[in-house]
Structures are given as structure tokens and as C-alpha cells.
Amino acid sequence: MLDYKLLEALGAVVDQAGFERGAQVLGLTQSAVSQRIKLLEARLGQPVLIRAPRIAPTDLGKRLLNHIQQVRLLEHDLLDYVPSLGDREQRLRIALNADSLATWWAEAVEDFFRDHRVMFDLVVEDQETALKRMRDGEVAACLCMTPRSIQGARARPLGGMRYRPLATPDFMSRYFPNGLNRIALAEAPAVVFGPDDRLQQRYVANHGVTAPFPHHLCPSSEGFYRMIRSGIGYGLVPEIQAQEAIDQGELVDLETSSDVIVPLYWHYWRQGGNILEALTQHLTQHARRWLTDLDGFDNPSGVL
């Protein structure tokens, strides 16, 4: 049988990206945590961690992380019947994209937080790659673009985030004096969230720009938006984030009818316990206040 103290040590080291910080979370010495990991590996006869160049779970380690994460959630359901098991506080580790966190997420879960004793441990990850975090056992749930769930999990459609290619009027006059065209698009500086953000690449490719294009990298949703508001570049911005600036004429579309819809699916473990199931039901009911209904979209993948 598995020794859950050893699994807790594995989870803490991976969650905190290091032995020292993992030990602090567990209230142990770094040496004690290291010994627990070595004992776990000795009992299993296989390594569970890759130590260099950075801490990462092996394939077996990922499976164990998935297991311990679901056990934690299920154990919390027993607290109503066996209070001596421990603290009633529950932590949910969730991966979600920066744009959701900067716009609708907090308001969507506000009522849920009031009704449930839960602490969120949020991991910011691009909507195209968040599912990898779940597959690796790092999170209990995630938001991503992929409708197909991984083994042991379920996926629910929440809706789509509407993005608009926006720039300041001055930027448009400077770089697009004759309107949007392939040549101007290949020369105008864009703002891109990060190397995993494919929205901008798909947008320019849809307009015939396949070669590298000038762009700023800004891995902050708020910073991304401020750069566009300052006229430093153009970019695809969530409509709900930019609506006020659009209404006031401070930002304009590069072209008419150019909205991009990015679908968001909520992935969560089937054996995630009552708290995760309750959060899933809450999001399914309330997220649509901020997200676009995907019904009727032939291509909701975000590329026009």
C-alpha cells in the first residue's frame, strides 16, 4: 500500500518547485523531505522526480500526483462525518488563462467562495496548454480550448471569450492609413502575450502574413492591455476588458467583423469530490454571464 506521507512530500516538492519550499509547506526539514522522496522511490523501484535542470515529476510521478490530488479532494468530503480527520479548509489548485483571471473569473466564483470554505491556488497558463498541467497531475481542474477530456476527467463547455483586434486611432493612422492590408500588417508592431499564445500568429496568418512579424512580448494581461491603450502596438483583446475604451473611441478595430471567438472548456477530475463537483456546477450556470454562447459557431477555435 502507498504511504501517503511520502506522497504528500512528492506533491509539496512539485507544487513548490523545490525541496526547500516544499519542506516549509510541510513544516519539515529539507533533509526529511528528501529522505521521504528517496524512500518512496526505493519502495517503488523507480524515480518519481527529475532533479535537474529543474524539479519535475517523472511519468510515474505524474500518476502519483494525480492520485494524491484526488485522494485529498475525496478525503475532504469525509470531514462532515469524521471531523477528527483534519482542517475543514480545502485548497483547489486550478490552471486558467490570464485573460479569464483578469476579466470574469473573480466575479463568477464570488458567490461560490461565500458558500464554500475553499482556498484557490491558481496557476496562470495559456488556454492552449493548460490541460498539460492537469495531465501532469499539477492541478485538479483547468480552463482550456480543448473539448476532449483526458482519462479520468470530464470536460464541460462554458462558452467563448470574444477577442477583437484593437489599436488606438493614432496607431491606426500611423500604420494603417489605407486600412488593413497584408503589407501593413507585416510591418505594424503587435503585442503578443507569450510564446504559447497562438492567437496573434493565427490572426496574421489568416491575412496572408506567414513570415515573422514585429511584436512585443508581454506576459501580463493587464500590461498587454495597457501597451495597446498606450499605442505601442495592436493586439487581440478580450471584448469585456476593452468595452469601455471602445465605447469612448479610445480603441478601434483594425477591421469590421473581425471578432475572434476562443472556446473555453472546464476540465475536472471525475473523482474530485463534492467541492470540485459543486464548483463545476456553479461555473456551468454562471460563467455564461460573461462568455459568448458557442451555439451556431462553425469554427469557434479562435481563428475566424
Side-chain angles (χ1 to χ4, degrees), residues 142-156:
C142 73
L143 282 173
C144 75
M145 292 175 57
T146 307
R148 181 176 298 177
S149 62
I150 61 176
Q151 185 176 2
R154 291 190 176 99
R156 297 271 188 93

mmCIF file with all atom_site columns, all heavy atoms in Angstrom, residues 142-156:
data_model
loop_
_atom_site.group_PDB
_atom_site.id
_atom_site.type_symbol
_atom_site.label_atom_id
_atom_site.label_alt_id
_atom_site.label_comp_id
_atom_site.label_asym_id
_atom_site.label_entity_id
_atom_site.label_seq_id
_atom_site.pdbx_PDB_ins_code
_atom_site.Cartn_x
_atom_site.Cartn_y
_atom_site.Cartn_z
_atom_site.occupancy
_atom_site.B_iso_or_equiv
_atom_site.pdbx_formal_charge
_atom_site.auth_seq_id
_atom_site.auth_comp_id
_atom_site.auth_asym_id
_atom_site.auth_atom_id
_atom_site.pdbx_PDB_model_num
ATOM 1   N N   . CYS A 1 142 ? -8.906  22.741 -14.883 1.00 0.00 ? 142 CYS A N   1
ATOM 2   C CA  . CYS A 1 142 ? -8.294  23.773 -15.726 1.00 0.00 ? 142 CYS A CA  1
ATOM 3   C C   . CYS A 1 142 ? -9.294  24.291 -16.740 1.00 0.00 ? 142 CYS A C   1
ATOM 4   O O   . CYS A 1 142 ? -10.307 23.649 -17.037 1.00 0.00 ? 142 CYS A O   1
ATOM 5   C CB  . CYS A 1 142 ? -7.050  23.229 -16.442 1.00 0.00 ? 142 CYS A CB  1
ATOM 6   S SG  . CYS A 1 142 ? -7.405  22.071 -17.796 1.00 0.00 ? 142 CYS A SG  1
ATOM 7   N N   . LEU A 1 143 ? -8.992  25.472 -17.264 1.00 0.00 ? 143 LEU A N   1
ATOM 8   C CA  . LEU A 1 143 ? -9.708  26.041 -18.404 1.00 0.00 ? 143 LEU A CA  1
ATOM 9   C C   . LEU A 1 143 ? -8.825  25.885 -19.627 1.00 0.00 ? 143 LEU A C   1
ATOM 10  O O   . LEU A 1 143 ? -7.643  26.251 -19.590 1.00 0.00 ? 143 LEU A O   1
ATOM 11  C CB  . LEU A 1 143 ? -9.992  27.531 -18.181 1.00 0.00 ? 143 LEU A CB  1
ATOM 12  C CG  . LEU A 1 143 ? -11.134 27.916 -17.263 1.00 0.00 ? 143 LEU A CG  1
ATOM 13  C CD1 . LEU A 1 143 ? -11.126 29.423 -17.050 1.00 0.00 ? 143 LEU A CD1 1
ATOM 14  C CD2 . LEU A 1 143 ? -12.463 27.478 -17.848 1.00 0.00 ? 143 LEU A CD2 1
ATOM 15  N N   . CYS A 1 144 ? -9.366  25.361 -20.706 1.00 0.00 ? 144 CYS A N   1
ATOM 16  C CA  . CYS A 1 144 ? -8.572  25.258 -21.930 1.00 0.00 ? 144 CYS A CA  1
ATOM 17  C C   . CYS A 1 144 ? -9.488  25.240 -23.146 1.00 0.00 ? 144 CYS A C   1
ATOM 18  O O   . CYS A 1 144 ? -10.704 25.207 -23.033 1.00 0.00 ? 144 CYS A O   1
ATOM 19  C CB  . CYS A 1 144 ? -7.665  24.021 -21.896 1.00 0.00 ? 144 CYS A CB  1
ATOM 20  S SG  . CYS A 1 144 ? -8.511  22.471 -22.158 1.00 0.00 ? 144 CYS A SG  1
ATOM 21  N N   . MET A 1 145 ? -8.871  25.266 -24.324 1.00 0.00 ? 145 MET A N   1
ATOM 22  C CA  . MET A 1 145 ? -9.608  25.304 -25.579 1.00 0.00 ? 145 MET A CA  1
ATOM 23  C C   . MET A 1 145 ? -10.039 23.923 -26.051 1.00 0.00 ? 145 MET A C   1
ATOM 24  O O   . MET A 1 145 ? -10.861 23.797 -26.945 1.00 0.00 ? 145 MET A O   1
ATOM 25  C CB  . MET A 1 145 ? -8.741  25.935 -26.676 1.00 0.00 ? 145 MET A CB  1
ATOM 26  C CG  . MET A 1 145 ? -8.445  27.400 -26.487 1.00 0.00 ? 145 MET A CG  1
ATOM 27  S SD  . MET A 1 145 ? -7.293  28.013 -27.750 1.00 0.00 ? 145 MET A SD  1
ATOM 28  C CE  . MET A 1 145 ? -8.157  27.600 -29.275 1.00 0.00 ? 145 MET A CE  1
ATOM 29  N N   . THR A 1 146 ? -9.482  22.872 -25.463 1.00 0.00 ? 146 THR A N   1
ATOM 30  C CA  . THR A 1 146 ? -9.691  21.516 -25.945 1.00 0.00 ? 146 THR A CA  1
ATOM 31  C C   . THR A 1 146 ? -10.977 20.916 -25.393 1.00 0.00 ? 146 THR A C   1
ATOM 32  O O   . THR A 1 146 ? -11.152 20.841 -24.171 1.00 0.00 ? 146 THR A O   1
ATOM 33  C CB  . THR A 1 146 ? -8.504  20.620 -25.537 1.00 0.00 ? 146 THR A CB  1
ATOM 34  O OG1 . THR A 1 146 ? -7.300  21.230 -25.971 1.00 0.00 ? 146 THR A OG1 1
ATOM 35  C CG2 . THR A 1 146 ? -8.638  19.236 -26.148 1.00 0.00 ? 146 THR A CG2 1
ATOM 36  N N   . PRO A 1 147 ? -11.886 20.443 -26.263 1.00 0.00 ? 147 PRO A N   1
ATOM 37  C CA  . PRO A 1 147 ? -13.131 19.856 -25.762 1.00 0.00 ? 147 PRO A CA  1
ATOM 38  C C   . PRO A 1 147 ? -12.966 18.424 -25.270 1.00 0.00 ? 147 PRO A C   1
ATOM 39  O O   . PRO A 1 147 ? -13.771 17.956 -24.467 1.00 0.00 ? 147 PRO A O   1
ATOM 40  C CB  . PRO A 1 147 ? -14.057 19.903 -26.981 1.00 0.00 ? 147 PRO A CB  1
ATOM 41  C CG  . PRO A 1 147 ? -13.139 19.871 -28.162 1.00 0.00 ? 147 PRO A CG  1
ATOM 42  C CD  . PRO A 1 147 ? -11.904 20.599 -27.738 1.00 0.00 ? 147 PRO A CD  1
ATOM 43  N N   . ARG A 1 148 ? -11.935 17.724 -25.725 1.00 0.00 ? 148 ARG A N   1
ATOM 44  C CA  . ARG A 1 148 ? -11.769 16.318 -25.363 1.00 0.00 ? 148 ARG A CA  1
ATOM 45  C C   . ARG A 1 148 ? -11.046 16.204 -24.033 1.00 0.00 ? 148 ARG A C   1
ATOM 46  O O   . ARG A 1 148 ? -9.965  16.748 -23.850 1.00 0.00 ? 148 ARG A O   1
ATOM 47  C CB  . ARG A 1 148 ? -10.988 15.576 -26.455 1.00 0.00 ? 148 ARG A CB  1
ATOM 48  C CG  . ARG A 1 148 ? -10.797 14.093 -26.171 1.00 0.00 ? 148 ARG A CG  1
ATOM 49  C CD  . ARG A 1 148 ? -10.107 13.400 -27.316 1.00 0.00 ? 148 ARG A CD  1
ATOM 50  N NE  . ARG A 1 148 ? -10.905 13.475 -28.532 1.00 0.00 ? 148 ARG A NE  1
ATOM 51  C CZ  . ARG A 1 148 ? -10.506 12.984 -29.713 1.00 0.00 ? 148 ARG A CZ  1
ATOM 52  N NH1 . ARG A 1 148 ? -9.316  12.434 -29.833 1.00 0.00 ? 148 ARG A NH1 1
ATOM 53  N NH2 . ARG A 1 148 ? -11.296 13.092 -30.760 1.00 0.00 ? 148 ARG A NH2 1
ATOM 54  N N   . SER A 1 149 ? -11.631 15.459 -23.106 1.00 0.00 ? 149 SER A N   1
ATOM 55  C CA  . SER A 1 149 ? -11.036 15.318 -21.785 1.00 0.00 ? 149 SER A CA  1
ATOM 56  C C   . SER A 1 149 ? -9.972  14.230 -21.778 1.00 0.00 ? 149 SER A C   1
ATOM 57  O O   . SER A 1 149 ? -9.942  13.362 -22.666 1.00 0.00 ? 149 SER A O   1
ATOM 58  C CB  . SER A 1 149 ? -12.117 14.982 -20.750 1.00 0.00 ? 149 SER A CB  1
ATOM 59  O OG  . SER A 1 149 ? -12.729 13.732 -21.061 1.00 0.00 ? 149 SER A OG  1
ATOM 60  N N   . ILE A 1 150 ? -9.102  14.279 -20.764 1.00 0.00 ? 150 ILE A N   1
ATOM 61  C CA  . ILE A 1 150 ? -8.101  13.241 -20.601 1.00 0.00 ? 150 ILE A CA  1
ATOM 62  C C   . ILE A 1 150 ? -8.710  12.111 -19.773 1.00 0.00 ? 150 ILE A C   1
ATOM 63  O O   . ILE A 1 150 ? -9.785  12.248 -19.196 1.00 0.00 ? 150 ILE A O   1
ATOM 64  C CB  . ILE A 1 150 ? -6.838  13.788 -19.914 1.00 0.00 ? 150 ILE A CB  1
ATOM 65  C CG1 . ILE A 1 150 ? -7.174  14.331 -18.512 1.00 0.00 ? 150 ILE A CG1 1
ATOM 66  C CG2 . ILE A 1 150 ? -6.193  14.863 -20.762 1.00 0.00 ? 150 ILE A CG2 1
ATOM 67  C CD1 . ILE A 1 150 ? -5.970  14.804 -17.740 1.00 0.00 ? 150 ILE A CD1 1
ATOM 68  N N   . GLN A 1 151 ? -8.006  10.990 -19.712 1.00 0.00 ? 151 GLN A N   1
ATOM 69  C CA  . GLN A 1 151 ? -8.508  9.843  -18.978 1.00 0.00 ? 151 GLN A CA  1
ATOM 70  C C   . GLN A 1 151 ? -8.709  10.194 -17.505 1.00 0.00 ? 151 GLN A C   1
ATOM 71  O O   . GLN A 1 151 ? -7.849  10.787 -16.865 1.00 0.00 ? 151 GLN A O   1
ATOM 72  C CB  . GLN A 1 151 ? -7.531  8.671  -19.100 1.00 0.00 ? 151 GLN A CB  1
ATOM 73  C CG  . GLN A 1 151 ? -8.025  7.382  -18.461 1.00 0.00 ? 151 GLN A CG  1
ATOM 74  C CD  . GLN A 1 151 ? -7.079  6.225  -18.699 1.00 0.00 ? 151 GLN A CD  1
ATOM 75  O OE1 . GLN A 1 151 ? -6.038  6.385  -19.310 1.00 0.00 ? 151 GLN A OE1 1
ATOM 76  N NE2 . GLN A 1 151 ? -7.448  5.054  -18.216 1.00 0.00 ? 151 GLN A NE2 1
ATOM 77  N N   . GLY A 1 152 ? -9.872  9.819  -16.983 1.00 0.00 ? 152 GLY A N   1
ATOM 78  C CA  . GLY A 1 152 ? -10.179 10.086 -15.583 1.00 0.00 ? 152 GLY A CA  1
ATOM 79  C C   . GLY A 1 152 ? -10.782 11.447 -15.323 1.00 0.00 ? 152 GLY A C   1
ATOM 80  O O   . GLY A 1 152 ? -11.012 11.801 -14.161 1.00 0.00 ? 152 GLY A O   1
ATOM 81  N N   . ALA A 1 153 ? -11.035 12.208 -16.368 1.00 0.00 ? 153 ALA A N   1
ATOM 82  C CA  . ALA A 1 153 ? -11.556 13.559 -16.195 1.00 0.00 ? 153 ALA A CA  1
ATOM 83  C C   . ALA A 1 153 ? -12.781 13.777 -17.074 1.00 0.00 ? 153 ALA A C   1
ATOM 84  O O   . ALA A 1 153 ? -13.092 12.982 -17.964 1.00 0.00 ? 153 ALA A O   1
ATOM 85  C CB  . ALA A 1 153 ? -10.486 14.591 -16.524 1.00 0.00 ? 153 ALA A CB  1
ATOM 86  N N   . ARG A 1 154 ? -13.474 14.860 -16.823 1.00 0.00 ? 154 ARG A N   1
ATOM 87  C CA  . ARG A 1 154 ? -14.616 15.280 -17.638 1.00 0.00 ? 154 ARG A CA  1
ATOM 88  C C   . ARG A 1 154 ? -14.376 16.694 -18.136 1.00 0.00 ? 154 ARG A C   1
ATOM 89  O O   . ARG A 1 154 ? -13.586 17.442 -17.554 1.00 0.00 ? 154 ARG A O   1
ATOM 90  C CB  . ARG A 1 154 ? -15.916 15.248 -16.825 1.00 0.00 ? 154 ARG A CB  1
ATOM 91  C CG  . ARG A 1 154 ? -16.394 13.865 -16.440 1.00 0.00 ? 154 ARG A CG  1
ATOM 92  C CD  . ARG A 1 154 ? -17.802 13.938 -15.857 1.00 0.00 ? 154 ARG A CD  1
ATOM 93  N NE  . ARG A 1 154 ? -18.339 12.620 -15.559 1.00 0.00 ? 154 ARG A NE  1
ATOM 94  C CZ  . ARG A 1 154 ? -18.334 12.072 -14.353 1.00 0.00 ? 154 ARG A CZ  1
ATOM 95  N NH1 . ARG A 1 154 ? -17.821 12.751 -13.342 1.00 0.00 ? 154 ARG A NH1 1
ATOM 96  N NH2 . ARG A 1 154 ? -18.847 10.877 -14.153 1.00 0.00 ? 154 ARG A NH2 1
ATOM 97  N N   . ALA A 1 155 ? -15.084 17.064 -19.194 1.00 0.00 ? 155 ALA A N   1
ATOM 98  C CA  . ALA A 1 155 ? -14.981 18.414 -19.749 1.00 0.00 ? 155 ALA A CA  1
ATOM 99  C C   . ALA A 1 155 ? -16.381 18.978 -19.959 1.00 0.00 ? 155 ALA A C   1
ATOM 100 O O   . ALA A 1 155 ? -17.268 18.277 -20.446 1.00 0.00 ? 155 ALA A O   1
ATOM 101 C CB  . ALA A 1 155 ? -14.208 18.410 -21.061 1.00 0.00 ? 155 ALA A CB  1
ATOM 102 N N   . ARG A 1 156 ? -16.559 20.233 -19.565 1.00 0.00 ? 156 ARG A N   1
ATOM 103 C CA  . ARG A 1 156 ? -17.831 20.940 -19.766 1.00 0.00 ? 156 ARG A CA  1
ATOM 104 C C   . ARG A 1 156 ? -17.585 22.234 -20.537 1.00 0.00 ? 156 ARG A C   1
ATOM 105 O O   . ARG A 1 156 ? -16.688 23.002 -20.174 1.00 0.00 ? 156 ARG A O   1
ATOM 106 C CB  . ARG A 1 156 ? -18.452 21.292 -18.420 1.00 0.00 ? 156 ARG A CB  1
ATOM 107 C CG  . ARG A 1 156 ? -18.832 20.092 -17.548 1.00 0.00 ? 156 ARG A CG  1
ATOM 108 C CD  . ARG A 1 156 ? -20.230 19.633 -17.851 1.00 0.00 ? 156 ARG A CD  1
ATOM 109 N NE  . ARG A 1 156 ? -20.664 18.619 -16.884 1.00 0.00 ? 156 ARG A NE  1
ATOM 110 C CZ  . ARG A 1 156 ? -21.336 18.897 -15.767 1.00 0.00 ? 156 ARG A CZ  1
ATOM 111 N NH1 . ARG A 1 156 ? -21.617 20.167 -15.475 1.00 0.00 ? 156 ARG A NH1 1
ATOM 112 N NH2 . ARG A 1 156 ? -21.725 17.941 -14.959 1.00 0.00 ? 156 ARG A NH2 1
#
